[in-house]
Amino acid sequence: MTPMLNEPLSGALHELLAARSLRERNRELVLALVAAGNRGEANDLTRPWTGPAATGAPTLPEGLRLTAESVIADNDAVALRATARAHGAAWSLVAELRFDAAGRVEQCHRLLVPDTTKAA
């Protein structure tokens, strides 16, 4: 017997696949924000390092590099653990982001901790 789209199993499968694709989309959006920060584009993740430019647009320190250590997505929320480096300094960045249906950042909560260990 071939399953039909109106059967309960196909509805549950549809919900499961829709939830998975939403998590994957949001995970990719966070990684895109990391990549944009590495290109020097100010965004919600790089806000702690932004400074005003002469033109009024925010600027980032030269050489700021973000490295995504882990990304966990659940429904519309994504948790990012990253390392940020600039001018010999390093920070641990933990961020929780929520996205709207269009993929725009709806909420962003960041915790930034300076790395106090000395590199050998």
Side-chain angles (χ1 to χ4, degrees):
M1 178 174 181
T2 305
M4 301 300 288
L5 288 178
N6 58 358
E7 291 183 15
L9 180 59
S10 67
L13 182 60
H14 172 73
E15 288 179 25
L16 178 66
L17 292 174
R20 179 178 177 171
S21 63
L22 177 65
R23 286 191 308 267
E24 290 299 316
R25 178 202 75 155
N26 290 346
R27 184 180 185 285
E28 289 173 9
L29 287 170
V30 167
L31 292 174
L33 288 173
V34 169
N38 287 336
R39 290 191 304 270
E41 299 171 20
N43 61 48
D44 288 288
L45 293 179
T46 61
R47 185 161 290 141
W49 296 280
T50 57
T55 61
T59 61
L60 296 176
E62 188 70 31
L64 177 67
R65 285 286 164 247
L66 297 173
T67 303
E69 305 295 343
S70 65
V71 181
I72 301 171
D74 186 28
N75 294 323
D76 66 339
V78 181
L80 167 71
R81 185 176 58 88
T83 302
R85 291 182 176 83
H87 304 295
W91 301 266
S92 292
L93 170 67
V94 177
E96 179 185 358
L97 297 101
R98 290 187 182 277
F99 296 93
D100 64 13
R104 292 182 298 259
V105 176
E106 200 169 65
Q107 291 179 339
C108 180
H109 302 284
R110 290 173 305 280
L111 173 64
L112 188 64
V113 179
D115 184 0
T116 58
T117 61
K118 300 289 182 200

